[in-house]
Amino acid sequence: RLIGYHEDSNIVKTRATERAWNGHRYECFVCHKEFGALSALNDHLNSPVHADKIFRCPTRYNGCNQEFKTLSGLLSHVERSECGVARFRKQLTDKLDDVTSKMRRLTVR
């Protein structure tokens, strides 16, 4: 998700079919949430709603160790100053820049 989208990459997408119809609405097979349109169910399935929480507020920078499904969720947490990690924003930003610059190098062909 962080590296970016390439047309020729092998991105796995989950797609519901008409078989997801439960007689009243389209139903998510993971969480059983219901949707009025098949496209809405497919959007739900391909969102981070069921993703693992792989990003963590760093305790090394006086953070709270809270987990997030997306990098944007973690960054929003830091920007809202919800814990002590905001005091170390400069160090954290430098570290994130270092990590993402290494990811960009992975995509160079």
Side-chain angles (χ1 to χ4, degrees), residues 86-104:
R87 292 184 299 158
F88 299 97
R89 186 176 297 170
K90 170 78 171 104
Q91 294 94 322
L92 187 57
T93 301
D94 290 346
K95 183 54 93 175
L96 285 170
D97 287 344
D98 181 50
V99 168
T100 56
S101 70
K102 289 175 183 169
M103 288 179 180
R104 280 192 293 275

Side-chain angles (χ1 to χ4, degrees), residues 56-76:
R56 187 182 308 261
C57 184
T59 56
R60 180 175 181 185
Y61 296 104
N62 205 30
C64 63
N65 208 33
Q66 185 174 342
E67 296 176 329
F68 300 89
K69 294 178 182 182
T70 61
L71 179 59
S72 61
L74 170 60
L75 295 176
S76 177

Side-chain angles (χ1 to χ4, degrees), residues 19-82:
R19 293 179 62 190
W21 183 257
N22 66 10
H24 303 286
R25 299 185 69 141
Y26 294 98
E27 183 176 344
C28 175
F29 66 91
V30 178
C31 66
H32 305 290
K33 185 174 180 178
E34 295 181 341
F35 299 87
L38 184 57
S39 61
L41 172 57
N42 281 317
D43 289 344
H44 167 80
L45 289 170
N46 289 296
S47 75
V49 70
H50 299 298
D52 293 333
K53 293 181 177 181
I54 60 173
F55 301 98
R56 187 182 308 261
C57 184
T59 56
R60 180 175 181 185
Y61 296 104
N62 205 30
C64 63
N65 208 33
Q66 185 174 342
E67 296 176 329
F68 300 89
K69 294 178 182 182
T70 61
L71 179 59
S72 61
L74 170 60
L75 295 176
S76 177
H77 169 78
V78 171
E79 289 172 358
R80 288 191 310 265
S81 302
E82 293 187 353

